[in-house]
Amino acid sequence: MGHRLVDASAPARLAAPDEGIGRDELALATRNHGLPLEALRYDVTPPGLHYVLTHYDIPYVAEDQPWHLIVGGRVRRPLELDLAALRAFPEVTTRVTLECAGNGRALLTPRPVSQPWLVEAVGTAEWTGVPLRLLLAEAGVEPDAVDVVFTGADHGVERGVEQDYQRSLPVDVATGTEPEVLVAYAMNGGPLPPQHGHPLRLIVPGWYGMAHVKWLREVAVTDVPFTGFQQTVAYRLRQDAGDEGEPVTRIDPRALLVPPGFPDFMSRARVVRPGQVPLEGRAWSGRAPVTGVEVSTDAGHTWRRAELEPADGRRWAWRRWHLTWDASPGEHVLSARATDSEGHTQPLDQPWNRGGFAVNLVQRVPVLCLEGDGTDPAGQPAYASRQ
Ligand SMILES: Nc1nc2c(c(=O)[nH]1)N[C@H]1C(S)=C(S)[C@@H](COP(=O)(O)O)O[C@H]1N2
Ligand SMILES: [Mo]
């Protein structure tokens, strides 16, 4: 008897009430790491601190291994381009904030069992490459084109379905300029690192991570809607496993705080001293430009407008915001909430969906403010006086 994986297209499992994070989720979490939240301070995320999500294995591609990108399907002139041929096209660099569609999943009840992100599946990089629309123009898209399908070099099994990682975009998005989709060969001025798609990946500014196909080897124009697993089974907003569901597309607005003060090792709870505490963070939205960030230091009862730094024309990158908090001894809960120019904002009570996608619940950051004399609020000697 062969070993059975899971039934083909079995729905993802929901955790039982009070079921802790299991070994399967731990195994995913150790491979797919998040952004340490203190790194929200950087405009561009330093190498190695950008979050990573890979469904299967990172393909091994030797430094000097030839790589060809095929552009085919419903086109007049199919192309096969090596990296030198791609570099001969006009080069564009765009600063883009990427966020995994599953960010926030582990905060849901019941918890969809998958990569258990809290809020840290985000990062910002400068991506350099060729606008996809130029490659498609060179190939000559046929008038009956509907979708453009992107195939990565990675291969695996997901809920019983063996597959190459594949995603599609509607042809008008693939050939559009708002956003301008890139076939990227560089990240932050250097070759793509293995975990981020070496040597080629798609960048779809403003869309959740699943659209940004890594280890890109084929672009295929189709005259029928693409129905691959990652398009019609995964990445849909559903209440019940049997629902058709809405596709997950653009990034909903979110603001995150750089955790203030210093952390407790195990709980990660924050500790500050009384007085003026600088608060800062980042805000982004793939739907429309961020227009405001509000901060609460009293668990969401009252809100103050933060100072939002200029976007400098970088539509697809997160923006820094800051404000000062006059902290008094005791326990506090800090939150930040972003709103964009179309009025999209973040919920205080998160609507639930079965895959745990597009969760943008307002972040809650518990903070303990010590007494000025270094005791804790109960009058016990606190950290400052301990050796
Ligand atoms: N080929 C391929 N591309 C992929 C994935 C993958 O598993 N295989 N994961 C996607 C998902 S779900 C996300 S969130 C982003 C993560 O990109 P990063 O690891 O560079 O941050 O890559 C996307 N592109
Ligand atoms: Mo993702």
Side-chain angles (χ1 to χ4, degrees):
M1 288 289 290
H3 176 68
R4 272 193 71 179
L5 294 158
V6 269
D7 292 336
S9 292
R13 196 169 73 77
L14 299 177
D18 300 324
E19 178 185 331
I21 299 282
R23 191 175 273 257
D24 45 0
E25 290 162 293
L26 174 62
L28 287 174
T30 57
R31 291 181 54 80
N32 298 312
H33 68 78
L35 174 88
L37 293 181
E38 60 274 29
L40 288 165
R41 288 194 176 90
Y42 300 91
D43 291 332
V44 173
T45 308
L49 297 185
H50 193 287
Y51 88 97
V52 171
L53 194 126
T54 299
H55 286 229
Y56 314 130
D57 290 348
I58 298 169
Y60 175 71
V61 183
E63 208 47 48
D64 52 356
Q65 189 173 317
W67 190 272
H68 295 270
L69 179 70
I70 290 169
V71 181
R74 298 293 302 149
V75 296
R76 285 188 290 282
R77 294 172 297 275
L79 311 174
E80 190 173 336
L81 303 162
D82 62 13
L83 294 181
L86 280 168
R87 282 176 188 275
F89 282 86
E91 180 179 286
V92 167
T93 297
T94 313
R95 188 177 297 180
V96 178
T97 295
L98 225 73
E99 182 178 13
C100 179
N103 201 15
R105 173 185 290 133
L107 300 170
L108 292 181
T109 310
R111 184 180 78 252
V113 175
S114 184
Q115 168 67 31
W117 297 121
L118 297 168
V119 295
E120 59 295 276
V122 65
T124 297
E126 301 263 21
W127 301 98
T128 301
V130 188
L132 176 67
R133 63 186 173 84
L134 300 184
L135 300 181
L136 291 172
E138 177 79 11
V141 173
E142 296 283 8
D144 60 1
V146 174
D147 278 346
V148 182
V149 181
F150 305 92
T151 305
D154 49 335
H155 188 87
V157 178
E158 204 160 329
R159 292 189 253 150
V161 180
E162 188 178 330
Q163 58 191 283
D164 293 337
Y165 187 91
Q166 285 189 309
R167 282 280 309 181
S168 68
L169 290 172
V171 71
D172 59 325
V173 176
T175 54
T177 53
E178 268 304 303
E180 181 164 74
V181 180
L182 294 184
V183 172
Y185 43 73
M187 180 184 190
N188 303 333
L192 300 184
Q195 70 274 26
H196 293 298
H198 179 80
L200 279 185
R201 81 174 301 172
L202 203 66
I203 290 292
V204 191
W207 284 55
Y208 278 116
M210 73 282 150
H212 304 233
V213 177
K214 303 191 273 191
W215 313 292
L216 182 66
R217 61 176 182 77
E218 189 176 349
V219 174
V221 179
T222 63
D223 58 0
V224 289
F226 176 63
T227 58
F229 183 93
Q230 304 298 340
Q231 207 76 26
T232 55
V233 181
Y235 299 110
R236 311 285 290 205
L237 300 168
R238 307 190 161 91
Q239 292 304 303
D240 293 305
D243 294 350
E244 188 188 346
E246 285 295 309
V248 177
T249 58
R250 287 180 175 239
I251 301 175
D252 285 318
R254 193 198 282 274
L256 290 177
L257 285 125
V258 170
F262 57 91
D264 172 71
F265 174 46
M266 281 308 294
S267 67
R268 304 274 337 147
R270 310 302 301 187
V271 183
V272 300
R273 303 196 192 285
Q276 302 291 301
V277 176
L279 299 181
E280 65 171 302
R282 298 279 168 177
W284 62 93
S285 169
R287 297 197 173 273
V290 170
T291 47
V293 173
E294 302 155 282
V295 172
S296 172
T297 54
D298 58 6
H301 290 105
T302 60
W303 295 86
R304 270 201 302 152
R305 234 181 141 73
E307 181 88 30
L308 189 59
E309 293 190 355
D312 286 337
R314 296 196 172 97
R315 162 67 189 94
W316 308 111
W318 58 24
R319 278 170 74 181
R320 184 173 181 271
W321 55 264
H322 62 96
L323 134 160
T324 304
W325 172 40
D326 191 10
S328 54
E331 292 182 13
H332 305 273
V333 175
L334 273 45
S335 290
R337 177 169 64 187
T339 303
D340 70 22
S341 67
E342 289 177 359
H344 306 289
T345 185
Q346 301 182 242
L348 294 163
D349 293 308
Q350 181 65 48
W352 186 87
N353 70 85
R354 221 182 171 287
F357 297 123
V359 171
N360 66 339
L361 177 68
V362 168
Q363 185 193 19
R364 289 171 60 87
V365 183
V367 178
L368 171 65
C369 180
L370 302 175
E371 299 287 347
D373 62 2
T375 59
D376 72 13
Q380 299 299 311
Y383 315 99
S385 58
R386 290 201 189 137
Q387 297 301 311

